[in-house]
Amino acid sequence: MNGSNAPADVHAHHGALLPLLGADQEVVDFFAGVADLDATDPADHELEDGVRLASGARLEQFARAASGDAFCFVGEGGDERPVVYVSLDGEAGPLALGLPELVRLCLVAPWWRDAPGRTTGELQAIADEYREDTPDLDRRRDRAARALGLDPAGLPSEAAVLARLVELSRGPVAAACLVVGYEGDLLEPLFVSTPN
């Protein structure tokens, strides 16, 4: 799975996707309420002083988790920029090559934060627990997807989005997305082992 395999309808919103994440109520209900990605008040999203990319490229926060963790764009441009997650626990790493890919990750596996180092069975248990805690998860996901112009039936599988996280955590994307914390040290990688 890569950006070129994105469903065509995602590209219909190119440049307009981020405003929808913070304005459309169906989308906000899912992303802020279920996937823990709140893009409702972009002016309120600001990284701690000193948190930056090791490369010197721009790091722009566009959303936050309830914990205060940050979703950030890398470099200059629009929704197509790589997305990095910066945790207040001292971890950071790439999540997606572009906002459309992040949207698919959050729709399919809103529990992705619990994936690092888990076996397939453990991941299934996490997904089952998430569904138990949010019994209307599928309905909310489908409504949010449709509000974004996506066909829920065309979303990738959980296995595909998790494999993509592992792929992004290695190689040139991860190297370009190294984050330095406010004390000047590199933050730990977000994903260090592969879910099997």
Side-chain angles (χ1 to χ4, degrees), residues 126-176:
I126 291 167
D128 292 346
E129 184 178 322
Y130 216 88
R131 289 181 183 285
E132 196 174 292
D133 292 344
T134 313
D136 60 346
L137 177 68
D138 291 340
R139 181 186 61 79
R140 291 172 75 178
R141 178 204 59 220
D142 292 355
R143 290 175 75 161
R146 286 188 190 98
L148 292 169
L150 296 168
D151 176 2
L155 292 172
S157 69
E158 288 178 0
V161 297
L162 294 175
R164 179 65 169 160
L165 282 178
V166 171
E167 177 187 335
L168 289 172
S169 71
R170 303 174 178 171
V173 173

Side-chain angles (χ1 to χ4, degrees), residues 113-128:
R113 285 171 199 80
D114 296 323
R118 306 286 183 165
T119 65
T120 302
E122 289 169 336
L123 288 172
Q124 188 58 57
I126 291 167
D128 292 346

Side-chain angles (χ1 to χ4, degrees), residues 13 16-28 39 147-149:
H13 290 296
L17 193 53
L18 186 56
L20 282 176
L21 290 179
D24 184 283
Q25 197 56 51
E26 297 285 346
V27 176
V28 170
L148 292 169

